[in-house]
């Protein structure tokens, strides 16, 4: 259903004309209870969305739109294991991966929880064996270095969570991530490691991805250069994959394959076997707590009525800015250095899921779909791009994510961090007027440059402490937000055909660069020239 053709959309359009004229100052003045009205505490998160350009009627109309688009049923369809990823003919069941209860999740009538729990148990055993040093390398040395080789969904999730939960990690283990096919990545990440103490975790759902396979082969060469004997591969490589055949062909011991399934999308896979590196680094208890946090938000999302449902609220606010205010981007700003890869993780999560321009019937969209997601941790961002958010010509809705308590004992830096956290949201919403500047005796001619218009929206997500549970809930919050927006925009969020064409063309160009094929005549003039120039100057 094209949402823009609905009467609910039309009503929102009419309503938008009133709202766009209102300043957040007016909205707060009109309703003294506004902060309470637009705050929800659930799953260990306190979410205040009162500094958004909405009033009660806006939210009511947005919820009506969601109801009209059958959101409740669509949520149920995902949880019920229906093949909602229609273009790949697959269910979308990442929620099963973090199900710690005895609930069943069915795919084609078969409960997948048996498989999920079997792999989790296998991961736990392996993780314990690395941590207690009972699993040893080929020369009987304990494993001290883990190198996860994977890309996209097989890299960003474990990397982001490892960074976010580093505080909880085993300090005697080093975890590195290699993703880029650029040799620099592998070389720089391994140059100080001893092969005898290194385990490579090859994370690839398909086990065919060019970057990962290249890096895995390089890793094999690197290992055998020191260990000589090809049998060493069995002791220094494990695989996280759905492709048993290709993994065994590579020489990895079938016992060291940690499987997952087609119904797990790459960018939603971090609580599957793809999280093995994390489980080893953090320990199985912390990994379990992370899954519990995910599950808490999954339950909330499945059961809470729409007006109390956090992912739904964030999704509707996003739609409001994207499709009515015409905002093109959305910033995610964690005020926590550990979470420095969180925006990049959801850059993939959101943009690969909702960066689509045809609807579920294959028709070209006549309205905007997914926004550009970006962000950096605070306070660093404040000294960089915040200028544009405060005074630029573009309206950028921001999510501020912060924690009440630090993981470190010294309170002073944390209080400073959080003073900035609150201040930025206040400044964005309420700005600074001409009059205020005059009252401060600001030089007349520079007043225009110092005015802050305000009325710039933000949502505050506050949690007690960065724990595995909280992080799990936060990730699931954004995952489900993305799902809801896909439904609202009538697009398929769980495929990613947009990454294919470049891969195909690269495989055609590669032999041209290796000079095993002539430069194809049917390249466009620019590409032909560039390849030609490259070949002429190649050393
Ligand atoms: C994620 C995407 C993509 C994928 C990578 C790696 O949803 O599908 O980022 O994860 O292309 O794929 P493999 O795990 O198959 O190597």
């Amino acid at each position: 259903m094209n949402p823009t053709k609905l009467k609910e959309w039309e009503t929102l359009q009419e309503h938008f004309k009133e709202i766009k004229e209102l300043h957040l100052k007016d909205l707060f003045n009109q309703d003294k209870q506004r902060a309470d009205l637009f705050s929800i505490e659930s799953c260990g998160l306190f979410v205040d969305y009162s500094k958004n350009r909405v009033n009660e009627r806006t939210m009511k109309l947005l919820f009506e739109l969601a109801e009209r688009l059958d959101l409740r049923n669509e949520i149920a369809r995902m949880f019920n294991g229906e093949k909602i990823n229609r273009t790949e003919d697959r269910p979308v069941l990442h929620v099963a991966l973090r199900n710690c209860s005895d609930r069943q999740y069915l795919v084609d009538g078969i409960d997948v929880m048996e498989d999920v729990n079997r792999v989790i148990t296998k991961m736990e055993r392996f993780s314990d064996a690395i941590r207690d040093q009972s699993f040893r390398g080929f020369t009987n040395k304990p494993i001290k270095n883990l190198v996860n080789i994977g890309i996209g969904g097989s890299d960003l999730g474990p990397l982001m969570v490892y960074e976010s939960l580093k505080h909880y990690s085993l300090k005697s283990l080093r975890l590195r991530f290699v993703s880029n096919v650029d040799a620099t990545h592998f070389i720089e990440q391994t140059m100080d490691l001893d092969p005898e103490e290194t385990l490579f975790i090859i994370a690839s759902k398909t086990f065919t991805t060019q970057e990962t396979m290249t890096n895995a082969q390089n890793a094999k060469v690197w290992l055998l250069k020191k260990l000589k004997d090809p049998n060493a591969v069995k002791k220094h490589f494990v695989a996280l994959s759905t492709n048993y055949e290709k993994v065994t062909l590579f020489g990895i011991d079938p016992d060291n394959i940690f499987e997952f399934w087609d119904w797990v999308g790459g960018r939603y896979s971090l609580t599957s076997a793809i999280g093995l590196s994390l489980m080893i680094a953090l320990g199985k208890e912390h990994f379990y707590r992370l899954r519990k946090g995910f599950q808490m938000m999954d339950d909330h999302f499945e059961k809470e009525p729409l007006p109390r449902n956090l992912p739904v609220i964030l999704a509707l606010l996003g739609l409001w800015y994207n499709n009515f205010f015409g905002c093109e981007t959305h910033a995610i700003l964690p005020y926590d250095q550990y979470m420095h890869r969180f925006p990049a993780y959801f850059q993939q999560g959101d943009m690969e899921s909702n960066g689509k321009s045809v609807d579920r019937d294959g028709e070209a969209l006549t309205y905007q779909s997914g926004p550009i997601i970006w962000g950096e941790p605070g306070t660093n961002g404040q000294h960089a791009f915040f200028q544009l958010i405060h005074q630029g010509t573009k309206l950028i809705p921001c999510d501020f994510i912060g924690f009440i308590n630090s993981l470190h004992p010294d309170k002073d830096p944390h209080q400073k961090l959080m003073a900035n956290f609150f201040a930025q949201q206040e400044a964005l919403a309420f700005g600074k007027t001409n009059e205020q500047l005059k009252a401060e005796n600001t030089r007349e001619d520079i007043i225009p440059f110092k005015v802050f218009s305000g009325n710039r929206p933000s949502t505050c997500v506050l949690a007690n402490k960065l724990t595995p549970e909280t992080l799990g809930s936060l990730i699931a919050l954004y995952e489900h937000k993305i799902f809801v927006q896909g439904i609202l925009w009538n697009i398929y969020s769980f495929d990613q055909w947009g990454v294919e064409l470049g891969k195909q063309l690269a495989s055609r160009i590669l032999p041209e660069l290796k000079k095993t094929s002539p430069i194809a005549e049917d390249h466009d003039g620019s590409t032909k020239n560039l390849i030609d120039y490259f070949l002429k100057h190649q050393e």
Side-chain angles (χ1 to χ4, degrees):
M1 213 183 313
N2 178 339
T4 65
K5 299 273 186 262
L6 299 173
K7 131 180 146 309
E8 285 78 2
W9 191 279
E10 220 174 278
T11 316
L12 274 163
Q13 232 153 7
E14 280 306 307
H15 173 70
F16 172 67
K17 290 181 193 152
E18 292 161 36
I19 290 287
K20 77 168 196 283
E21 303 304 333
L22 292 176
H23 197 285
L24 278 165
K25 271 183 212 165
D26 307 321
L27 292 169
F28 272 88
N29 284 337
Q30 278 167 16
D31 185 355
K32 297 289 169 214
Q33 304 305 312
R34 184 178 168 87
D36 291 331
L37 186 67
F38 292 134
S39 292
I40 292 179
E41 190 174 8
S42 188
C43 306
L45 307 176
F46 181 78
V47 179
D48 174 349
Y49 61 103
S50 64
K51 294 195 195 74
N52 280 287
R53 293 175 65 178
V54 294
N55 61 17
E56 267 188 281
R57 182 163 152 75
T58 323
M59 293 314 295
K60 182 173 168 287
L61 296 178
L62 286 167
F63 293 127
E64 281 172 10
L65 176 73
E67 292 285 6
R68 181 65 206 281
L69 289 165
D70 213 14
L71 179 60
R72 289 243 68 102
N73 262 329
E74 296 283 356
I75 296 173
R77 291 181 62 214
M78 175 169 76
F79 278 83
N80 290 340
E82 288 184 35
K83 293 190 174 167
I84 59 168
N85 177 359
R86 195 175 67 79
T87 66
E88 294 181 317
D89 199 26
R90 291 173 187 167
V92 174
L93 265 188
H94 41 275
V95 289
L97 300 170
R98 50 266 192 144
N99 171 30
C100 308
S101 73
D102 54 10
R103 175 182 179 160
Q104 295 189 330
Y105 280 98
L106 302 180
V107 171
D108 295 328
I110 295 166
D111 183 15
V112 296
M113 285 317 299
E114 207 175 297
D115 279 345
V116 170
N117 290 327
R118 177 177 47 78
V119 174
I120 291 275
T121 307
K122 181 171 170 176
M123 288 164 68
E124 288 179 345
R125 283 205 194 109
F126 188 73
S127 154
D128 283 348
I130 298 278
R131 289 168 69 95
D132 66 21
Q133 305 192 345
S134 53
F135 181 100
R136 294 190 167 231
F138 190 60
T139 53
N140 210 32
K141 284 196 175 177
I143 298 296
K144 292 193 182 150
N145 315 308
L146 308 167
V147 182
N148 187 86
I149 297 184
I151 195 164
S154 300
D155 165 72
L156 279 164
L159 171 61
M160 180 276 284
V161 174
Y162 174 62
E163 289 295 322
S164 298
L165 298 180
K166 213 175 225 169
H167 177 77
Y168 303 87
S169 68
L170 185 64
K171 299 295 177 280
S172 57
L173 273 176
R174 277 189 286 200
L175 173 54
R176 301 270 169 85
F177 291 86
V178 175
S179 52
N180 203 328
V181 73
D182 183 343
T184 302
H185 208 178
F186 182 82
I187 291 167
E188 291 293 335
Q189 292 299 311
T190 52
M191 63 167 50
D192 57 340
L193 307 183
D194 177 356
E196 291 179 71
E197 298 176 340
T198 301
L199 179 79
F200 289 101
I201 301 175
I202 313 300
S204 179
K205 183 171 163 179
T206 54
F207 225 75
T208 55
T209 306
Q210 186 192 51
E211 293 88 337
T212 304
M213 291 306 105
T214 306
N215 282 319
Q217 288 298 347
N218 287 343
K220 209 194 247 183
V221 172
W222 179 87
L223 183 91
L224 295 181
K225 201 169 160 196
K226 178 150 188 207
L227 295 179
K228 313 287 187 223
D229 188 340
N231 287 320
V233 171
K234 289 204 164 48
K235 284 288 186 184
H236 292 267
F237 280 79
V238 300
L240 323 175
S241 187
T242 56
N243 194 339
Y244 186 89
E245 209 183 310
K246 286 243 158 38
V247 175
T248 40
L249 217 64
F250 182 90
I252 292 177
D253 186 344
D255 280 350
N256 290 337
I257 302 176
F258 298 82
E259 60 184 300
F260 59 113
W261 310 272
D262 267 353
W263 45 264
V264 185
R267 57 192 173 276
Y268 296 90
S269 66
L270 83 86
T271 48
S272 71
I274 288 294
L276 181 68
S277 58
L278 277 176
M279 191 191 273
I280 302 172
L282 302 176
K284 64 183 178 202
E285 293 82 8
H286 289 128
F287 194 81
Y288 180 75
R289 287 174 56 189
L290 177 76
R291 288 174 68 225
K292 284 293 273 186
F294 269 98
Q295 193 195 13
M296 231 188 316
M297 185 58 75
D298 294 342
D299 286 348
H300 169 100
F301 178 54
E302 190 186 15
K303 292 177 193 142
E304 274 304 301
L306 302 189
R308 305 276 315 157
N309 195 310
L310 290 173
V312 173
I313 291 170
L314 294 200
L316 289 169
L317 290 170
L319 172 128
W320 182 233
Y321 293 120
N322 193 64
N323 298 82
F324 294 88
F325 281 88
C327 297
E328 297 240 305
T329 84
H330 186 107
I332 300 181
L333 309 165
Y335 271 58
D336 190 290
Q337 189 55 33
Y338 281 125
M339 287 179 65
H340 67 112
R341 294 301 283 161
F342 191 83
Y345 177 70
F346 277 109
Q347 203 162 51
Q348 172 184 33
D350 202 316
M351 292 168 74
E352 201 165 49
S353 299
N354 288 341
K356 310 285 165 67
S357 53
V358 288
D359 68 16
R360 288 189 279 179
D361 297 316
E363 300 292 330
L365 295 184
T366 53
Y367 47 90
Q368 289 290 314
S369 61
I372 297 159
I373 301 291
W374 61 288
E376 284 288 328
T379 60
N380 293 14
Q382 290 174 209
H383 298 263
F385 53 78
F386 269 51
Q387 165 66 40
L388 186 147
I389 305 183
H390 281 290
Q391 286 189 317
T393 50
K394 294 174 171 57
L395 189 69
I396 301 176
C398 302
D399 291 352
F400 284 78
I401 302 170
F403 299 93
I404 298 168
N405 295 294
S406 167
L407 292 170
H408 308 298
D410 188 359
K411 285 200 166 157
D412 173 73
H414 192 66
Q415 286 157 347
K416 287 175 179 153
L417 176 74
M418 293 308 282
N420 279 282
F421 175 82
F422 294 121
Q424 289 298 325
Q425 297 166 61
E426 196 173 32
L428 285 168
F430 303 108
K432 192 164 189 180
T433 61
N434 231 303
E435 291 67 37
Q436 284 171 301
L437 286 157
K438 270 189 196 144
E440 287 174 3
N441 293 324
T442 309
R443 229 174 65 195
E444 190 75 30
D445 61 325
I446 60 164
I447 285 183
F449 304 100
K450 292 188 132 189
V451 166
F452 286 71
S453 60
N455 214 15
R456 292 165 190 255
S458 65
T459 300
C460 178
V461 181
L462 197 56
N464 189 295
K465 203 180 252 189
L466 179 50
T467 61
E469 290 88 345
T470 308
L471 185 70
S473 290
L474 266 172
I475 300 170
L477 169 67
Y478 280 92
E479 283 181 349
H480 296 318
K481 170 196 166 180
I482 294 165
F483 166 81
V484 172
Q485 291 191 327
I487 298 301
L488 301 174
W489 290 320
N490 191 27
I491 55 178
Y492 285 122
S493 298
F494 296 103
D495 58 19
Q496 56 284 314
W497 299 108
V499 302
E500 292 304 322
L501 179 60
K503 285 192 210 169
Q504 279 167 19
L505 296 186
S507 65
R508 194 167 84 118
I509 291 174
L510 184 60
E512 299 172 0
L513 301 189
K514 287 183 184 288
K515 295 190 182 164
T516 51
S517 298
I519 303 177
E521 279 309 313
D522 58 351
H523 281 304
D524 62 277
S526 161
T527 308
K528 207 155 46 184
N529 267 1
L530 289 167
I531 295 173
D532 200 41
Y533 187 87
F534 175 90
L535 290 176
K536 270 193 199 121
H537 293 86
Q538 191 176 225
E539 285 170 10

